[in-house]
Amino acid sequence: MSYHIFQSARAQIYSIPFYLTTLGPPLPSLSVPFSRNPRPHSPLRGSARVRSPETSHPARRSSPAAAWRICVIIERNASQSMMKRFVYINDDSSQDSYCDNRISNRKYTLLNFLPKNLWEQFSRFMNQYFLLIACLQLWSLITPVNPASTWGPLIFIFAVSATKEAWDDYNRYLSDKQANEKEVWVVKEGIRKHIQAQDIRIGNIVWLRENDEVPCDLVLIGTSEPQGICYVETAALDGETDLKTRVIPSACIGLAPEQLHKIKGVIECPNPDKDIRRFDGNMRLFPPFIDNDLCPLTINNTLLQSCYLRNTEWACGVAVYTGNETKLGMSRGVPEPKLTAVDAMIDKLTGAIFLFQIVVVIVLGFSGNIWKDTEARKQWYVKYPDEGPWYELLVIPLRFELLCSIMIPISIKVSLDLVKSLYAKFIDWDEEMYDHDTDTPSHAANTAISEDLGQVEYILTDKTGTLTENRMIFRRCCIGGIFYGNENGDALKDAELLNAVAKNVPDVIRFLTIMTICNTVIPVRSNSGAIMYKAQSQDEDALVNAAACLHMVLISKNGNTLEVNFNGSVIQYEILDILEFTSDRKRMSVVVRDCQNEKILLLSKGADEAIFPCAYAGQQIRTSVDAVEQYAQLGLRTLCLGWRELKDDEYEEWSHLFKEASTALFDREWKLAEVCQRLEHDLEILGVTAIEDRLQDGVPETIETLRKSGINFWMLTGDKQNTAIQIALLCNFISSEPKGQLLFINGKTEDEVVRSLERVLLTMRITSSEPKDLAFVVDGWALEVILKQYREAFTELAILSRTAICCRVTPSQKAQLVELLKSCDYRTLAIGDGGNDVRMIQQAHIGVGISGREGLQAARAADYSIGKFRFLKRLILVHGRYSYNRTAFLSQYSFYKSLVICFIQILFSLFSGVSGTSLFNSVSLMAYNVFYTSTPVLTSVLDKDLTEKTVMQHPQILFYCQAGRLLNPSTFAGWFGRSLYHALVVFFISVHAYAGEKCEMEELSMVALSGCIWLQAFVVTLEMNSFTILQHLAIWGNFVAFYVINCIVSTIPSAGMYAIMFRLCKQPSYWITMVLIVAVGMGPVLAIKYFRYTYRSSAINILQQAERSRGIILSMGTLESQLKSVEKDVASLSITQPKNRNPVYEPLLSDSPTATRRSIGSSTFDFFQPSRLSASYSRNCKNN
Amino acid sequence: MMNNSGASAAGSSSGSGEGQAPRRNSKRPKYSRFTQQELPACKPILTPRWVISVFTLVGIIFVPIGLVSLMASRDVVEIVDRYDSACVPPNMTDDKVAYAQNAAIDKTCTRILKVPKDMDQPIYVYYQLDNFYQNHRRYVKSRNDEQLMSAKKANDSSGCDPEATTGNGTIVPCGLIAWSLFNDTYSFIHGNKNITVNKHNISWKSDRDHKFGKDVYPKNFQNGALIGGAKLDPKKSLSEQEDLIVWMRTAALPTFRKLYGRIEVDLKANDTITVTLKNNYNTYSFNGKKKLVLSTTSWLGGKNDFLGIAYLTVGGLCFFLATAFTVVYLVKPRKLGDPSYLSWNRNPQGH
């Protein structure tokens, strides 16, 4: 609230001086004298200062009330003078205090790279741990192995991570550089020069040509259009695709381009903020330009960064915000490093292992000390001194700490980094995600978060340009009750319509006339003679073009006259008034005089609900209503057209009122609307047009598939509510009435909003058991109220609802919604294509940018950029799923293999007087961790449990990833148990087979090590699902490499294991032992796996069997047809039932009741907020 | 059940890649089977037939190997004689440590062994120590390999604490291991003939050649206040001190045997052998046992039933599992890959 007060106060500050100037002598900008140092050499400046003292007195005298208000304002002003900036137009020497226009998304600089990067790396627990271990190893008394065995990998790991970060940052630097070095025209010392965008300083005058991107936030001062307007496309900023009109401030009207070069003045504006809908500034020009006028500036006088100048030959403006301080830059926010759910889980498991390790260390340390005091003192050959140093009690525990430090595998970070970058490469390389139309391949900018793709629960999507193609096409129409275009889907090719046009059917002609005239389209004749239309709205553009195809061509619009060419004859109209479109009125009209018969016509078009009530009494509008409904169901955007002939005196009377209203100072919009209302009645409804805002290819299928896989969709758009709902209907986002229901949260006041929110919530709770597809719709204003004060209720709503449509939301609201879902502990994916989506993309766990027509803003900020929305399906179901599966296996396996070797060490220490002797030597340990066991498992990046086709056919399988079924404490417990078992097997078999005369230390250690290697090879083989040549190479090649390397090392006399390998290889007992270890180690694992696979199969297993037990070519056909019938029911159910997660997922759950992430979370580790688990409505308590 | 699905996958996808004229500067990713993750792959699944035959096969292989190993182990003849307590004079059984530490007492002890079966030469003579932690961390590290190897490093005694130096200088060979060298000796009389114990080549050749220097001679050894174990002949180089070399190969377990020598005559069943031994080594302070072992050897090594029994057990269990799985498979057959098992294809009304 305080923010609002502040805002309105500021608004007053600017408005009052403006009004005062109209009454008497002008009031100077209030704070100019306070905050700027006088600059004696500027004559313009001097005159401004001279004027200020003489003018301020009369103003204060004007009235006591005004004086008081001004005092208040001054006071506030003084306290807020920090919040303002003064921009001196065209004055290079004064603007040094502000930043230049260099955009920087970089994280590091050359100097701070090393400390900052190290600091960041060491903020992860694992790294701190490894550093501690490495430091401890420097103490030779306690170290069981060579310190190099930890320092080497540690330094390597850090180097790899740092290099990667540096590379990423370098790429960011390059893309910044590209934007920064773009050439722009800027006036310097009165001459227009070509400079780089980064050299724009505040106060510079920037010239833009048509289709130029605005390089920084500008205050418009001149355009090519005589009326002083220009058109901008703000899509990259707020997602709205229609062209917006920007006007030059009144003070600058009528300045010639030459004058604009020399213009001087000052602009007072607030300090940079991120509000893209508000700009409250003042402008004063210095003589010889218009004196004395303090001209207020609003957002309508600005050109904001990343907008495009359209339909205007040139425009120029004064830079007021630059670089990262622009409205867009401020709303960009600082990207946080993202951590995937898998990473978080790995960290937690690491923490658990760490605790376990501490326990082991304490127990062993204790018993070691006891053993030392009781037994070892008797062992004269150990020669324990009677009196040790004070730290002696610590030595054995610390030794065990070091011995057990391998429990947490140092290789896991390297392996994960490696495979993650490969996942990212696979995305980059994927041909099926390559967009032919725009020649863009997919790209993974963030290489670290692919697993999260497989765990997405919520997708928040932008609408324009993301779901739609952003191209409007006229498709159908209904004129006077006759439908055109229904047969072939294109009215322009409908012979009946063409006939009607040829026959001059009056209704059709009038219909076409409205299509052609009732708009704000500007026809432009290009050099070649062709006519191009410049439209603010894509719909109007589509209508005019369609009319032109039907031989009603808008030729020119000069001032108020308008010429139309119909079948070769030119008809002239005079535009009398334009009753503009507003989102409240939802219609627009024009009043024209037909120059042939001097009749005055009112032509209207608008939304059905805005036009039908204006129909004259008794008209049959039934067919039009039907048409609207029919078209809406097809997902077409409909507009109703109507007309009426006006009597001269009626118009004269109304025209007077209209002029009055359009000059009103207060409530102008409302007054205008009221006046328009007086004219727009008794219309004859001519018919309905239907325009297609084409969805991108495959959007409905993609959304349907992804929803089947259990992902919820929210649509966040800056666009209007109706359009949003239409598109939502069209792309399976929501279902129309009988199946689905939309619940609206709206209201004019806060109370109304709250009541409506409660009502919706109540409906949700009641109907949550019914098979109905509920979705709620909320607009930006209501959202602002709700997020500020009723967050809890809204959170509940968010949890209950699978679908939501939020329209007219600002970029920061989008980000807030993402944050809200994140705070409910859902994995969120935000997808968008414009600059207005950047914050949401950065806020979400995963940001996906569509590198589309709205520029590359979003794609640059996103973690993944794709060419088309439909690629999202593949990104999630194929890449996300595989990545998750692979990482789940890889990470658990990494722990498993470290635990095996560590358990063997622990077991050995029980046989070595609990003194902390390492069975294995440093080289073997290091090679085991870093090489022997890391390489084969890396090929799991090629592992595919199911083919891509199967996954696409059964998207439900994604649930395993979403719920984290493959990596959670219970699966981890399985691996833990396996490692313990394997350690026991390896150790006891080695010890027994190599007992007595053969139990030489080096030999036994090598036997145990090779036992581990043998087991690893088979474990990886058993856990891998598909074997390419690379897997075979890695697994068996590694196996061979183990022997080759060890044989080579065995030839080095100084090595501890000199000659060991050769001796072992010659012994039959060695090979027999190995085979025994494998059989005993793998037998039970295989048996259990087989039993589960066959008799307790998971859905993945079933699909694997289905996929492979039949021949592939044969199966896909038959299987498909078999499944299709079943799936049809399921598909319909899954759309209609908000609770369909229950029937779908409960059986999965019952397979292993503890296997979901969440249920485990509450019992073993306190991972998740208890409030959420206790909430009875929580949809994710899937076993309710 | 292995299907090579790669061929079909690759075949279907290559169609999409073709047909387009090679565009210049296209950003289209280059097609390769690796980048598209379409490498031909075989995807084995655990079908009952496959699993059952694996278990059967393992059983078929393991049982014979187990039998052979067990037989090999049974063929080995082994005489084990524990002498540590028996060799203590009856009057000193209460204080064995004092007995061991008293150098004045003659430690000679005579044991009579009976040969249970024919033993063919070579017969290996081992001493076995129980409860002796050669793998103790303090012990196992207390050596300096470089010093052992080369005469140049004679003064290098790093890591040898607490047996690194005496007042006279560096000990060679330094460290606890060498210091505690086993010093019991055995001599054998068969009938009335002395049996020579061949103490050559009882250590690893690699050790003699590359781990213990030919020019390194003992120095200051066992000169300290506390005498640990055997003394070394300062005239012989370390590479010839085979008892030391054997001892320095530390054992990984607290119960271990070390080779003492070889008897190169055949012994017949029911022969008696008289062993005259010097019971010098002190195992009494830590309740260690000392055993003398005479053993023949087989292709699998010494007498060790473990491998044979383990193989037979595993083989048996594999047969059992194979049978069990077969029975389950026949009694309760389950169709593989039936989509009706998919939870989302089941009738939702049931829930």
Side-chain angles (χ1 to χ4, degrees), chain A residues 87-92 95 184-195 199-208 215-223 252 255-265 267 283 285 289 303 314-320 322:
Chain A
V87 177
Y88 292 91
I89 302 171
N90 222 350
D91 188 349
D92 282 335
Q95 316 294 351
V184 288
W185 288 104
V186 167
V187 175
K188 292 256 176 182
E189 287 149 10
I191 307 152
R192 222 191 298 169
K193 279 185 184 163
H194 225 176
I195 65 164
D199 296 329
I200 298 174
R201 305 304 304 250
I202 287 192
N204 283 158
I205 296 177
V206 180
W207 290 71
L208 302 166
C216 59
D217 289 356
L218 306 173
V219 167
L220 192 64
I221 55 170
T223 78
C252 302
L255 294 180
E258 300 76 46
Q259 285 176 298
L260 288 173
H261 281 111
K262 290 177 238 145
I263 195 164
K264 297 273 176 185
I267 293 170
M283 176 194 237
L285 295 182
F289 303 98
L303 297 174
W314 57 263
C316 68
V318 180
V320 287
T322 48

Side-chain angles (χ1 to χ4, degrees), chain A residues 172-186:
Chain A
R172 278 194 287 270
Y173 162 75
L174 284 187
S175 74
D176 286 347
K177 194 175 162 194
Q178 203 184 349
N180 284 336
E181 292 184 351
K182 210 164 73 177
E183 300 270 290
V184 288
W185 288 104
V186 167

Side-chain angles (χ1 to χ4, degrees), chain B residues 218-255:
Chain B
K219 201 171 75 184
N220 299 327
F221 191 68
Q222 302 290 27
N223 281 352
L226 206 58
I227 307 294
K231 299 194 173 173
L232 294 174
D233 182 356
K235 303 273 156 39
K236 279 163 93 178
S237 71
L238 288 189
S239 67
E240 293 164 64
Q241 312 266 10
E242 293 212 32
D243 279 328
L244 177 75
I245 297 175
V246 170
W247 182 253
M248 295 285 278
R249 275 275 155 206
T250 49
L253 298 172
T255 300

Side-chain angles (χ1 to χ4, degrees), chain A residues 316-364:
Chain A
C316 68
V318 180
V320 287
Y321 303 127
T322 48
N324 286 354
E325 288 181 348
T326 59
K327 300 256 182 202
L328 184 75
M330 296 294 283
S331 59
R332 199 178 280 138
V334 187
E336 281 173 37
K338 292 178 177 178
L339 193 68
T340 63
V342 170
D343 284 336
M345 179 57 76
I346 292 173
D347 278 0
K348 274 163 199 154
L349 294 176
T350 313
I353 288 290
F354 182 66
L355 287 182
F356 173 73
Q357 178 188 328
I358 297 285
V359 171
V360 167
V361 165
I362 289 173
V363 169
L364 286 179

Side-chain angles (χ1 to χ4, degrees), chain A residues 524-646:
Chain A
V524 175
R525 202 174 280 275
S526 67
N527 295 339
S528 59
I531 295 171
M532 311 250 292
Y533 296 110
K534 295 185 174 183
Q536 281 203 48
S537 112
Q538 300 250 12
D539 295 79
E540 291 185 345
D541 187 60
L543 288 181
V544 174
N545 276 313
C549 286
L550 296 168
H551 313 295
M552 176 82 79
V553 188
L554 177 63
I555 309 174
S556 68
K557 222 180 217 178
N558 288 324
N560 288 338
T561 31
L562 182 147
E563 286 182 346
V564 172
N565 182 337
F566 179 61
N567 273 343
S569 56
V570 175
I571 312 168
Q572 280 199 337
Y573 294 93
E574 187 190 347
I575 301 173
L576 299 175
D577 286 301
I578 295 177
L579 288 65
E580 279 184 14
F581 178 89
T582 66
S583 47
D584 280 336
R585 275 161 38 79
K586 292 180 188 162
R587 63 176 175 247
M588 79 160 291
S589 309
V590 291
V591 181
V592 295
R593 189 196 304 273
D594 188 335
C595 294
Q596 285 168 314
N597 50 20
E598 294 296 311
K599 276 182 186 167
I600 299 177
L601 304 174
L602 170 75
L603 310 176
S604 301
K605 76 170 197 295
D608 48 323
E609 72 264 34
I611 294 286
F612 289 150
C614 306
Y616 67 85
Q619 193 190 354
Q620 289 299 316
I621 55 169
R622 188 72 230 151
T623 47
S624 297
V625 174
D626 285 348
V628 168
E629 201 156 291
Q630 189 188 336
Y631 293 149
Q633 274 180 10
L634 291 168
L636 302 171
R637 301 155 68 96
T638 55
L639 284 173
C640 296
L641 309 189
W643 81 295
R644 172 161 86 93
E645 198 181 319
L646 298 179

Side-chain angles (χ1 to χ4, degrees), chain A residues 280-333:
Chain A
D280 302 315
N282 288 330
M283 176 194 237
R284 172 195 288 285
L285 295 182
F286 296 146
F289 303 98
I290 301 147
D291 299 15
N292 302 347
D293 255 1
L294 192 62
C295 169
L297 302 173
T298 68
I299 196 74
N300 276 336
N301 306 116
T302 59
L303 297 174
L304 298 185
Q305 189 186 31
S306 85
C307 295
Y308 285 85
L309 186 68
R310 301 283 190 215
N311 299 0
T312 313
E313 201 178 314
W314 57 263
C316 68
V318 180
V320 287
Y321 303 127
T322 48
N324 286 354
E325 288 181 348
T326 59
K327 300 256 182 202
L328 184 75
M330 296 294 283
S331 59
R332 199 178 280 138

Side-chain angles (χ1 to χ4, degrees), chain A residues 815-1112:
Chain A
Q816 278 177 323
L817 285 171
V818 171
E819 185 139 28
L820 184 106
L821 286 174
K822 268 172 87 178
S823 70
C824 302
D825 198 42
Y826 289 118
R827 284 280 128 181
T828 52
L829 179 149
I831 178 165
D833 70 324
N836 59 330
D837 306 313
V838 167
R839 285 203 58 192
M840 126 173 130
I841 282 172
Q842 286 177 340
Q843 186 74 49
H845 290 113
I846 308 159
V848 180
I850 298 211
S851 33
R853 309 189 340 146
E854 288 187 15
L856 293 170
Q857 282 272 358
R860 242 186 268 149
D863 303 310
Y864 298 93
S865 66
I866 53 180
K868 288 274 155 64
F869 183 80
R870 65 167 191 273
F871 298 148
L872 192 62
K873 182 164 80 167
R874 194 171 159 81
L875 191 66
I876 289 176
L877 286 177
V878 174
H879 291 286
R881 190 172 169 281
Y882 283 150
S883 303
Y884 173 79
N885 289 356
R886 291 160 182 176
T887 301
F889 168 61
L890 181 73
S891 53
Q892 296 185 100
Y893 174 83
S894 295
F895 276 106
Y896 153 80
K897 54 114 183 187
S898 316
L899 282 171
V900 167
I901 205 96
C902 190
F903 279 133
I904 291 177
Q905 296 271 49
I906 291 172
L907 286 172
F908 178 68
S909 79
L910 300 181
F911 287 79
S912 64
V914 208
S915 58
T917 319
S918 170
L919 176 62
F920 305 102
N921 58 43
S922 315
V923 180
S924 303
L925 270 185
M926 196 173 79
Y928 176 83
N929 246 332
V930 177
F931 185 73
Y932 302 139
T933 53
S934 299
T935 357
V937 79
L938 279 184
T939 53
S940 69
V941 292
L942 296 170
D943 190 35
K944 289 171 148 188
D945 54 345
L946 297 169
T947 61
E948 290 159 19
K949 215 170 170 181
T950 318
V951 177
M952 290 293 192
Q953 281 169 351
H954 303 274
Q956 292 94 335
I957 206 74
L958 187 72
F959 175 76
Y960 279 83
C961 304
Q962 273 177 345
R965 295 281 290 268
L966 302 180
L967 172 63
N968 57 46
S970 86
T971 57
F972 186 74
W975 281 100
F976 187 88
R978 186 187 291 194
S979 67
L980 185 58
Y981 171 67
H982 279 172
L984 286 170
V985 167
V986 170
F987 185 72
F988 282 105
I989 291 183
S990 317
V991 161
H992 279 105
Y994 275 71
E997 77 278 4
K998 286 196 285 196
C999 73
E1000 199 276 324
M1001 188 95 167
E1002 296 281 349
E1003 259 185 19
L1004 190 73
S1005 117
M1006 190 46 69
V1007 170
L1009 186 69
S1010 19
C1012 289
I1013 301 290
W1014 279 62
L1015 268 184
Q1016 303 308 311
F1018 283 92
V1019 166
V1020 175
T1021 312
L1022 193 69
E1023 294 299 323
M1024 207 75 92
N1025 294 295
S1026 67
F1027 294 89
T1028 66
I1029 182 82
L1030 287 178
Q1031 264 121 330
H1032 283 299
L1033 252 167
I1035 294 172
W1036 310 117
N1038 174 67
F1039 199 65
V1040 173
F1042 169 77
Y1043 280 97
V1044 171
I1045 289 174
N1046 276 302
C1047 285
I1048 291 172
V1049 175
S1050 295
T1051 59
I1052 304 169
S1054 60
M1057 48 194 258
Y1058 173 61
I1060 298 287
M1061 207 64 210
F1062 298 115
R1063 286 177 61 88
L1064 285 178
C1065 288
K1066 277 183 239 157
Q1067 296 169 6
S1069 58
Y1070 171 75
W1071 301 107
I1072 289 181
T1073 310
M1074 289 303 111
V1075 174
L1076 182 67
I1077 286 174
V1078 171
V1080 177
M1082 294 316 292
V1085 177
L1086 179 68
I1088 290 171
K1089 188 171 166 142
Y1090 164 73
F1091 187 76
R1092 278 219 193 132
Y1093 191 83
T1094 317
Y1095 299 100
R1096 299 277 180 276
S1097 7
S1098 70
I1100 296 180
N1101 299 149
I1102 294 171
L1103 287 179
Q1104 280 175 336
Q1105 292 157 0
E1107 193 178 90
R1108 286 160 213 174
S1109 56
R1110 298 142 223 238
I1112 288 294

Side-chain angles (χ1 to χ4, degrees), chain B residues 90-289:
Chain B
N91 58 344
M92 297 203 72
T93 44
D94 294 338
D95 194 0
K96 295 174 185 165
V97 180
Y99 158 79
Q101 285 174 343
N102 191 344
I105 301 173
D106 179 27
K107 302 282 172 40
T108 311
C109 174
T110 309
R111 308 282 299 162
I112 296 173
L113 309 178
K114 199 170 174 197
V115 179
K117 277 189 208 163
D118 285 359
M119 293 172 90
D120 296 334
Q121 63 149 324
I123 299 161
Y124 292 89
V125 179
Y126 301 99
Y127 53 91
Q128 173 172 342
L129 292 178
D130 275 12
N131 204 20
F132 189 100
Y133 288 87
Q134 263 206 319
N135 55 12
H136 194 281
R137 188 178 182 283
R138 216 178 137 74
Y139 186 85
V140 81
K141 293 222 156 191
S142 186
R143 63 191 286 165
N144 188 320
D145 284 335
E146 289 178 346
Q147 188 205 45
L148 297 173
M149 183 54 214
S150 87
K152 287 179 212 146
K153 297 279 176 85
N155 289 324
D156 184 359
S157 64
S158 62
C160 286
D161 277 339
E163 280 297 318
T165 52
T166 62
N168 299 331
T170 319
I171 302 173
V172 180
C174 69
L176 284 173
I177 310 180
W179 174 72
S180 61
L181 177 59
F182 189 72
N183 58 359
D184 285 7
T185 56
Y186 315 96
S187 56
F188 299 89
I189 299 166
H190 179 221
N192 41 20
K193 267 189 292 175
N194 264 345
I195 306 175
T196 45
V197 177
N198 183 357
K199 289 183 71 87
H200 281 289
N201 299 337
I202 54 171
S203 60
W204 297 2
K205 188 170 183 307
S206 60
D207 281 354
R208 289 198 300 275
D209 294 349
H210 295 111
K211 289 271 177 193
F212 291 83
K214 290 189 171 59
D215 53 350
V216 185
Y217 295 93
K219 201 171 75 184
N220 299 327
F221 191 68
Q222 302 290 27
N223 281 352
L226 206 58
I227 307 294
K231 299 194 173 173
L232 294 174
D233 182 356
K235 303 273 156 39
K236 279 163 93 178
S237 71
L238 288 189
S239 67
E240 293 164 64
Q241 312 266 10
E242 293 212 32
D243 279 328
L244 177 75
I245 297 175
V246 170
W247 182 253
M248 295 285 278
R249 275 275 155 206
T250 49
L253 298 172
T255 300
F256 59 88
R257 291 174 181 180
K258 290 210 175 281
L259 192 58
Y260 181 79
R262 275 189 306 273
I263 296 175
E264 282 162 345
V265 291
D266 293 343
L267 299 176
K268 295 279 167 275
N270 298 321
D271 282 2
T272 52
I273 301 167
T274 312
V275 186
T276 312
L277 57 85
K278 293 255 193 257
N279 184 18
N280 293 326
Y281 206 68
N282 175 14
T283 57
Y284 303 106
S285 56
F286 51 88
N287 293 325
K289 298 171 196 162

